[in-house]
Amino acid sequence: MPNSLSITKLLTEKKSLSPEQAEKINVLYASTGKPEEQLLEESGFVNKEQIVKAKGELFNIPFATLRDIGTAPEVLQLIPRAVAERYRLIPFAISGDGKELSVAFANPLDLEAIEFIELKSGKKIKPYIALEEEVVTAIGERYSQNLSTEVSAALEETSDSKEAQAGQVIDIQNAEVLRKEPVAKIVSTVLEFAIKYRTSDIHIEPEEDKSRVRYRIDGILHEKLVLPKTVHEALVSRIKVLTDLKIDEKRIPQDGRFNFKADGQEVDLRVSTLPTVHGEKVVMRLLKKSGGVPTLPELGLRGRALKNLQDAILRPHGIILICGPTGSGKTTTLYSILSKINTTKVNIVTLEDPVEYQIAGVNQVQVNPAAGLTFASGLRAFLRQDPNIIMVGEIRDRETTDLAIQASLTGHLVFSTIHTKSAAGAMPRLMDMGAEPFLLASTLTAIVAQRICRKICPSCREAYDPPPDVLADIKNVLGPLYMEKPGEKPQLFRGKGCPECNNTGYFGRVGIFEVLPVTERIARLIISRSAGIDIQKAAFEEGMITLKQDGYFKVMEGVTTMEEVLRVAQD
């Protein structure tokens, strides 16, 4: 094999390419003379990231995933945007002694570029290799939200405050400092970026020598910004001012909320502070006020699962449970259900911790344990409020379980959530909490288990031929439900990565569900205290589609990827 095809050789050694595929690339290289990287990319045998990683390994240059690396604002000052765009590079970190600058290149073999930016920055350059699309996106994204001026000004403010307060970072008695431009600008830029990129949570985390800002986009955390540690306290204090929290109280966690408007969108921010060894950590949950609550089909429910849930919702009494871990979208599903059945003819009361979205016409109550308003005491009070439909945020103890059953037996429709992995696992959990099996059998109408997967970005979606082992797994999991069109080769889909999806290949999220209706057979198993696995087996025989199966259907349809389904639904 010629030396020029060394990337192909390396990919073959790593088993990313089969010997037959490598031979095809060799033949094409000999007949067309096209560059090896271009041939590999056009072949579709490997993706661009695998090619770039192999190239880096070949030349002993580390690979940088820019979507997961934050950039300190002062680092961007060392290389002007025009230079970054011309040479397709982005600086992202500086060494502790300030002598070495880490830079990601689309082409790290461009020695002229390295020499030029060494002269320009006055630093020794440590080159990294990165995907060209990620570099281009990072240049546009990070230089446009460059906070270097604001950070410098904020540093001056905090250093002035240090001198005045003998060691304190900020004068907590005089909050005027916090309202001044620099710190306020940093906070508003962080929030504007979050709204622009569909962020659900912002994490501002103190570390030993820096403060990092991470954004949760489509359920995954991405580090986007690194700030000097000296700005951290001013930043936290500014957020506390906006949230009406105690600025001088740093020893205990605090909670609050405030509103923020940007790009014509109003967002409700739920703020939580937590004291850590390096300072206070702040997490802000973004709740959009516009956009409305999605319908059940928009969430990802369809077919038999959707019909079973809709039938259960239309009953005048009973208990419907939504199961899944934290962050699996249980509350959103409950809001969708409530929006569907919310009319002027019924009285709906909800008990939540906290109230995330406000629904017109629904009486929503926030849990307040400090004042004695718990799930159990609130539920007891609800029964005196002439309700038709009750939603309890979570069933977490025996008292709440008993009251939910009592409410159902007295003619109310009750919705709640419970932390179990599968729908069948909810019944044994409720029995562990002291619920009588014969009461559960007569009150439970349906149990829904769910997870959330990232959707493939429609702008860069591409088809590919799945490896035999992946296809075999799909056929095994779907069993008789698997249908292959005669004469058609099965294809799966993935996102290549583009500026639209921030080079992740994913844009937006969709739910995968299993809906277990409590039939006569299931009720008999509950009364006999059967194990969750026996209930699951019976439900499966009655036609229930499992979480993993629903996920694989969405994979076959090109909605999401195998990796996403296995990430959230693998046992």
Side-chain angles (χ1 to χ4, degrees):
M1 187 178 290
N3 187 47
S4 54
L5 289 189
S6 41
I7 298 176
T8 305
K9 187 178 179 182
L10 185 60
L11 287 167
T12 311
E13 286 169 2
K14 294 169 81 69
K15 294 189 166 45
S16 298
L17 278 176
S18 67
E20 294 78 22
Q21 289 171 332
E23 189 55 41
K24 278 184 185 176
I25 298 294
N26 285 326
V27 171
L28 283 167
Y29 180 74
S31 60
T32 66
K34 285 183 181 178
E36 179 188 14
E37 289 176 55
Q38 186 183 336
L39 289 170
L40 284 164
E41 200 178 329
E42 287 174 356
S43 71
F45 297 148
V46 284
N47 61 41
K48 203 161 187 178
E49 190 168 312
Q50 289 172 298
I51 299 166
V52 172
K53 277 183 177 175
K55 185 179 177 180
E57 199 174 319
L58 197 65
F59 294 100
N60 202 24
I61 301 168
F63 178 77
T65 310
L66 291 174
R67 59 179 176 266
D68 297 331
I69 300 172
T71 306
E74 65 270 23
V75 169
L76 294 173
Q77 281 187 304
L78 297 170
I79 299 174
R81 180 170 183 161
V83 173
E85 286 174 339
R86 182 185 168 192
Y87 291 109
R88 289 168 300 147
L89 58 88
I90 184 92
F92 61 86
I94 195 163
S95 60
D97 58 10
K99 291 178 181 176
E100 189 175 69
L101 183 66
S102 295
V103 181
F105 291 81
N107 179 17
L109 304 180
D110 187 346
L111 301 179
E112 182 194 327
I114 294 173
E115 192 179 335
F116 179 77
I117 60 168
E118 276 189 344
L119 287 168
K120 190 82 181 165
S121 64
K123 311 286 180 191
K124 185 180 184 300
I125 301 300
K126 183 178 181 183
Y128 284 77
I129 191 168
L131 287 166
E132 186 173 348
E133 293 88 344
E134 281 196 16
V135 173
V136 172
T137 302
I139 291 168
E141 183 185 287
R142 296 178 193 190
Y143 277 97
S144 61
Q145 68 141 8
N146 185 5
L147 296 170
S148 52
T149 311
E150 288 74 27
V151 170
S152 302
L155 281 167
E156 284 172 28
E157 297 281 6
T158 52
S159 61
D160 291 345
S161 180
K162 266 184 185 172
E163 289 163 22
Q165 290 293 312
Q168 276 192 308
V169 173
I170 197 137
D171 179 0
I172 53 177
Q173 301 303 319
N174 178 15
E176 273 308 305
V177 172
L178 308 173
R179 294 191 177 91
K180 287 182 182 176
E181 270 303 303
V183 177
K185 174 69 175 169
I186 294 171
V187 173
S188 63
T189 306
V190 164
L191 294 175
E192 282 164 14
F193 182 89
I195 292 169
K196 184 180 176 183
Y197 286 94
R198 315 176 335 276
T199 301
S200 61
D201 300 84
I202 306 168
H203 293 238
I204 300 173
E205 301 167 308
E207 295 187 353
E208 194 173 353
D209 55 348
K210 63 180 190 258
S211 176
R212 68 174 178 173
V213 181
R214 293 195 291 169
Y215 297 90
R216 191 176 291 282
I217 302 167
D218 292 335
I220 306 292
L221 278 170
H222 300 273
E223 185 180 306
K224 293 289 184 186
L225 187 63
V226 178
L227 297 169
K229 183 64 185 288
T230 40
V231 175
H232 183 79
E233 281 202 49
L235 205 59
V236 173
S237 299
R238 167 66 182 163
I239 293 164
K240 283 184 173 181
V241 166
L242 292 169
T243 320
D244 286 333
L245 299 179
K246 294 177 183 173
I247 300 174
D248 55 341
E249 181 54 85
K250 300 175 183 179
R251 300 163 300 166
I252 58 169
Q254 296 186 70
D255 293 294
R257 61 199 310 162
F258 70 95
N259 286 349
F260 182 81
K261 199 168 185 178
D263 293 337
Q265 295 185 64
E266 193 173 350
V267 176
D268 188 17
L269 288 113
R270 208 170 73 217
V271 180
S272 168
T273 68
L274 182 75
T276 72
V277 289
H278 296 303
E280 284 183 286
K281 173 177 175 174
V282 176
V283 174
M284 294 186 275
R285 165 69 57 90
L286 282 77
L287 304 165
K288 284 187 182 177
K289 290 196 166 184
S290 55
V293 177
T295 63
L296 293 173
E298 283 170 354
L299 291 177
L301 272 157
R302 72 258 176 95
R304 188 163 184 165
L306 178 61
K307 187 181 183 305
N308 285 338
L309 182 56
Q310 285 175 334
D311 289 347
I313 291 166
L314 294 172
R315 292 190 188 182
H317 53 81
I319 299 174
I320 296 170
L321 291 178
I322 315 288
C323 317
T326 303
S328 59
K330 300 188 296 293
T331 308
T332 304
T333 301
L334 284 175
Y335 282 145
S336 296
I337 292 169
L338 291 182
S339 297
K340 183 178 172 61
I341 57 179
N342 181 21
T343 68
T344 53
K345 296 175 182 177
V346 291
N347 176 24
I348 303 176
V349 284
T350 76
L351 191 58
E352 304 171 56
D353 183 22
V355 174
E356 290 193 14
Y357 296 95
Q358 293 174 14
I359 306 172
V362 175
N363 306 289
Q364 294 172 274
V365 179
Q366 169 113 14
V367 168
N368 187 352
L373 178 56
T374 62
F375 282 125
S377 66
L379 190 47
R380 204 174 284 110
F382 278 5
L383 296 175
R384 297 191 291 274
Q385 286 282 317
D386 184 32
N388 300 99
I389 296 157
I390 296 170
M391 182 189 115
V392 187
E394 188 185 338
I395 290 179
R396 55 173 74 152
D397 55 34
R398 180 169 188 162
E399 193 178 4
T400 314
T401 309
D402 290 345
L403 285 164
I405 290 170
Q406 199 59 45
S408 170
L409 289 170
T410 51
H412 303 94
L413 184 57
V414 181
F415 295 97
S416 192
T417 69
I418 190 166
H419 286 281
T420 58
K421 285 199 294 185
S422 66
M427 275 80 87
R429 176 69 58 85
L430 290 168
M431 289 181 215
D432 288 344
M433 288 182 193
E436 291 292 344
F438 70 93
L439 290 175
L440 284 178
S442 58
T443 55
L444 280 172
T445 53
I447 301 163
V448 181
Q450 68 177 77
R451 302 287 188 276
I452 302 181
C453 295
R454 291 182 292 170
K455 285 161 73 175
I456 297 170
C457 172
S459 302
C460 60
R461 182 172 171 265
E462 64 172 6
Y464 71 98
D465 296 331
D469 56 330
V470 170
L471 203 55
D473 183 38
I474 292 173
K475 287 178 180 176
N476 180 46
V477 169
L478 294 181
L481 298 171
Y482 179 81
M483 293 181 75
E484 193 173 309
K485 291 177 184 174
E488 273 191 35
K489 198 175 179 183
Q491 283 194 317
L492 300 185
F493 298 85
R494 62 187 171 206
K496 282 196 295 187
C498 64
E500 196 71 27
C501 61
N502 206 18
N503 286 307
T504 59
Y506 297 99
F507 190 97
R509 293 196 283 175
V510 68
I512 58 172
F513 299 87
E514 65 180 31
V515 178
L516 192 160
V518 180
T519 60
E520 282 185 33
R521 183 180 174 187
I522 301 295
R524 285 197 298 273
L525 289 170
I526 294 170
I527 291 167
S528 62
R529 290 182 178 269
S530 296
I533 194 159
D534 296 326
I535 295 170
Q536 173 109 357
K537 188 182 175 188
F540 188 61
E541 286 169 5
E542 289 189 337
M544 182 186 81
I545 290 171
T546 66
L547 273 172
K548 205 168 179 184
Q549 285 178 330
D550 189 37
Y552 278 15
F553 278 129
K554 289 182 169 84
V555 168
M556 296 290 287
E557 290 163 14
V559 176
T560 186
T561 63
M562 284 286 290
E563 292 80 9
E564 275 299 290
V565 173
L566 294 173
R567 179 176 70 85
V568 300
Q570 185 73 291
D571 294 332

